[in-house]
C-alpha cells in the first residue's frame, strides 16, 4: 500500500513502531493517547487503535486510564524469543538457499549493500533496520507460506531482538557470508552459518545487557 492511501491508524502505528524499534521511545516510557495525538496531529482514535495493534505485536503494554508503556523485555522474554529463533532460523536459511529466485536474490543483495554502507558510516538505526529487512527477505525466499504465517506476528519482537547490539560491521559481515551461501545454493553452508550467526547474536545481546 502506498503512503498516500495509508490510514491514520496505519500511519500512527508505523510511526510509533519505528520509534520504539529505533530506540527513540525507551522501554518503560509512557504512551498517553492525548499526548501522542497532539504530537502527531491526529485524533485520539487512531492513537488508541495503534496502541492496540502494538500490544498485539508485543511492543507495548496497556495500562489503565488511556495510557500505555513501551514494553520492557525481561530476560525470560528474550530467552523465549531466542528459543523460537533457534528453532526456525536455520530452517529458513536452508530453504532460502534451496528455493531462492533471481529477483529475490537481487532484493537481498540490495538490502545487504544498504546495510553494509550504513555500518561503514556507523549509522546504527539504518544498519539495524536493514539487518532486520535482510532476515525478513530470507523468510520470503524460503517460499513456505506456513513459515511466513508463523513469522509475521513475531516480526516486531524479532526486529527488536535483532537491534540489541552495537557491532554493526560484524553482523553485516556475517550477512555477507549468508548471502553468498544462498546465492551459491549451498544449503549445508547456509544452515551452518545461520546457527553461527544466531550464537553470535546471542553473545552480543548478553554483552549488551551485562
Amino acid at each position: 500500500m502506498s503512503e498516500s492511501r495509508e490510514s491514520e491508524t496505519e500511519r500512527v502505528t508505523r510511526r510509533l513502531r519505528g520509534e520504539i524499534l529505533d530506540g527513540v521511545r525507551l522501554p518503560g516510557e509512557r504512551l498517553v493517547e492525548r499526548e501522542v495525538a497532539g504530537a502527531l496531529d491526529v485524533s485520539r482514535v487512531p492513537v488508541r487503535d495503534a496502541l492496540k495493534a502494538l500490544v498485539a505485536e508485543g511492543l507495548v503494554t496497556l495500562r489503565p486510564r488511556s495510557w500505555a508503556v513501551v514494553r520492557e523485555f525481561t530476560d525470560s522474554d528474550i530467552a523465549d524469543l531466542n528459543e523460537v529463533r533457534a528453532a526456525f532460523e536455520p530452517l529458513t536459511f536452508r530453504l532460502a538457499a534451496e528455493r531462492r529466485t533471481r529477483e529475490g536474490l537481487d532484493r537481498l543483495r540490495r538490502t545487504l549493500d544498504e546495510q553494509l554502507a550504513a555500518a561503514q558510516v556507523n549509522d546504527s538505526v539504518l544498519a539495524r533496520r536493514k539487518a532486520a529487512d535482510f532476515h525478513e527477505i530470507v523468510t520470503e525466499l524460503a517460499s513456505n507460506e506456513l513459515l511466513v504465517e508463523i513469522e509475521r506476528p513475531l516480526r516486531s519482537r524479532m526486529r527488536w531482538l535483532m537491534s540489541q547490539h552495537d557491532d554493526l560491521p560484524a553482523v553485516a559481515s556475517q550477512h555477507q557470508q549468508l548471502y553468498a551461501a544462498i546465492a551459491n545454493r549451498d544449503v549445508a553452508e547456509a544452515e551452518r552459518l545461520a546457527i553461527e550467526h544466531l550464537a553470535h547474536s546471542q553473545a552480543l545481546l548478553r554483552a549488551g545487557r551485562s
Side-chain angles (χ1 to χ4, degrees), residues 2 6 9 17 20 27 30 52 80 108 112 116 118 125 140 143 154 167 172 179-180 198:
S2 66
E6 192 176 42
T9 296
R17 182 193 299 116
I20 292 169
R30 289 178 58 167
K52 289 177 182 177
D80 289 346
L108 192 63
L112 174 58
L116 288 165
V125 170
E140 294 174 19
S143 297
L154 296 173
D167 198 346
Y179 170 84
L198 178 62

Side-chain angles (χ1 to χ4, degrees), residues 34-83:
R34 180 185 65 256
E35 294 173 358
V36 175
L40 300 183
D41 194 25
V42 297
S43 73
R44 291 173 63 170
V45 173
V47 174
R48 186 177 305 127
D49 290 341
L51 291 175
K52 289 177 182 177
L54 293 171
V55 168
E57 292 181 19
L59 295 181
V60 165
T61 303
L62 287 179
R63 292 286 187 265
R65 299 182 182 178
S66 303
W67 58 284
V69 296
V70 178
R71 180 173 180 173
E72 297 185 76
F73 285 88
T74 66
D75 290 343
S76 179
D77 292 330
I78 292 169
D80 289 346
L81 286 170
N82 276 323
E83 286 175 355

Side-chain angles (χ1 to χ4, degrees), residues 18-19 22 111 124-134 159:
E19 290 178 351
D22 292 343
T111 298
S124 59
V125 170
L126 184 57
R128 290 168 182 156
R129 284 182 180 179
K130 292 303 174 179
D133 289 346
F134 181 92
R159 290 185 79 96

Side-chain angles (χ1 to χ4, degrees), residues 80-198:
D80 289 346
L81 286 170
N82 276 323
E83 286 175 355
V84 171
R85 189 179 173 193
F88 286 100
E89 197 156 281
L91 170 65
T92 302
F93 277 89
R94 176 167 63 80
L95 292 177
E98 288 178 356
R99 301 172 180 177
R100 57 82 169 163
T101 62
R102 183 72 258 171
E103 182 274 336
L105 195 62
D106 289 343
R107 285 195 297 124
L108 192 63
R109 180 73 251 181
R110 287 194 297 271
T111 298
L112 174 58
D113 287 343
E114 289 169 346
Q115 182 190 354
L116 288 165
Q120 287 172 358
V121 297
N122 201 34
D123 185 339
S124 59
V125 170
L126 184 57
R128 290 168 182 156
R129 284 182 180 179
K130 292 303 174 179
D133 289 346
F134 181 92
H135 281 265
E136 289 177 12
I137 294 171
V138 170
T139 300
E140 294 174 19
L141 296 185
S143 297
N144 183 304
E145 287 301 318
L146 181 57
L147 191 60
V148 172
E149 289 177 18
I150 292 169
E151 181 266 347
R152 190 174 292 119
L154 296 173
R155 182 168 294 178
S156 290
R157 278 170 282 185
M158 287 299 179
R159 290 185 79 96
W160 176 88
L161 183 70
M162 293 177 191
S163 71
Q164 303 304 299
H165 71 88
D166 294 315
D167 198 346
L168 309 177
V171 173
S173 177
Q174 290 179 353
H175 281 185
Q176 277 189 299
Q177 296 175 51
L178 285 160
Y179 170 84
I182 292 171
N184 294 330
R185 296 192 189 276
D186 192 334
V187 174
E189 181 70 353
E191 187 170 15
R192 184 188 70 80
L193 288 171
I195 293 170
E196 284 188 359
H197 182 50
L198 178 62

